[in-house]
Each structure stands twice: as C-alpha cells, then as structure tokens.
Amino acid sequence: QVQLVESGGGLVQPGGSLRLSCEVFISMYSLNAMGWYRQAPGKDRELVAVTISGGSTDYEDSVKGRFTVSIDNAKNRIYLDMSSLKPEDTAVYYCYADQLVGSRLEYWGQGTQVTVSS
C-alpha cells in the first residue's frame, strides 16, 4: 500500500530552482520525522533534510542555505524547495516519514529524478 507519492522532479539548469512535493496518505499528526533523502549514481542514499514533529530541522551540509523542507498539514504534503542547484545535486530524491510506535516504522516514496545539467 503506497503511503508517500513524490512529484516535481525533472531537468533543471545549474543555478535554477525546483520544488519537490510529497503527498502523504497517512495521518500527518501520527508522524515523527518527515523529510527527504537522495541517492546519486554509485553512491549511498543520504539525508537531505528532515524535520521532527517537535520542531527541529536538520539539513545536509552541502544544501544548507539552498534547500528548505516544509510541511503543510492541511494538504497532507511535505515539500522540498531547492534553489541554486548544482550538478552534484543530481540524484533520485525520496520522500521519507516515520512513526514511533514502540519501534520505528518507516515509510518511503518511490523516488523522483532530479537532474541538474546545462
């Protein structure tokens, strides 16, 4: 059963901007952490940005000041606004969420490709 569905990926020139959207098909209020990971060819999946229900937000160092994660509870969506994109941002981006129900229950989207190239 699909719980997270991403959209908004595509091809963008260096220096450009892009917004990724993740539609969440479970209760937003039941979630602990929400955010985005990415995986570039030949590399491990890495955290891009995550926000915790208590209010803290964390970003991977290379995206600080360029990417912003935000939550819209009314629309059941998680967003990633990306600006000043670089070729090294090229990757498949995955939406992520988890619940703490005794143990951690993780949810992943199917991934959306972001390619930064001229």
Side-chain angles (χ1 to χ4, degrees), residues 12-18 62 65-67 81-89 116:
V12 61
Q13 291 187 341
S17 299
L18 206 60
S62 70
R66 300 188 299 122
F67 291 12
D81 289 293
M82 305 183 291
S83 63
S84 302
L85 282 161
K86 305 174 182 180
E88 51 263 42
D89 294 319
V116 184

Side-chain angles (χ1 to χ4, degrees), residues 1-115:
Q1 186 176 0
V2 176
Q3 309 286 5
L4 306 175
V5 178
E6 302 102 334
S7 60
L11 174 64
V12 61
Q13 291 187 341
S17 299
L18 206 60
R19 167 175 262 204
L20 303 184
S21 176
C22 174
E23 187 170 6
V24 181
F25 291 92
I26 48 181
S27 169
M28 298 284 282
Y29 297 100
S30 72
L31 298 176
N32 170 56
M34 293 167 276
W36 296 85
Y37 283 70
R38 68 185 178 187
Q39 187 167 19
K43 295 188 176 182
D44 293 334
R45 190 174 296 189
E46 65 175 1
L47 172 71
V48 177
V50 65
T51 186
I52 307 299
S53 60
S56 65
T57 301
D58 191 26
Y59 293 93
E60 197 272 326
D61 285 345
S62 70
V63 308
K64 287 179 180 177
R66 300 188 299 122
F67 291 12
T68 302
V69 61
S70 60
I71 308 299
D72 188 331
N73 288 313
K75 294 184 178 180
N76 270 41
R77 289 188 183 268
I78 306 166
Y79 298 105
L80 183 68
D81 289 293
M82 305 183 291
S83 63
S84 302
L85 282 161
K86 305 174 182 180
E88 51 263 42
D89 294 319
T90 295
V92 177
Y93 283 71
Y94 296 90
C95 183
Y96 169 86
D98 68 31
Q99 294 172 317
L100 297 179
V101 285
S103 59
R104 187 184 306 276
L105 183 60
E106 297 184 343
Y107 301 96
W108 293 91
Q110 80 284 1
T112 186
Q113 177 70 46
V114 172
T115 302

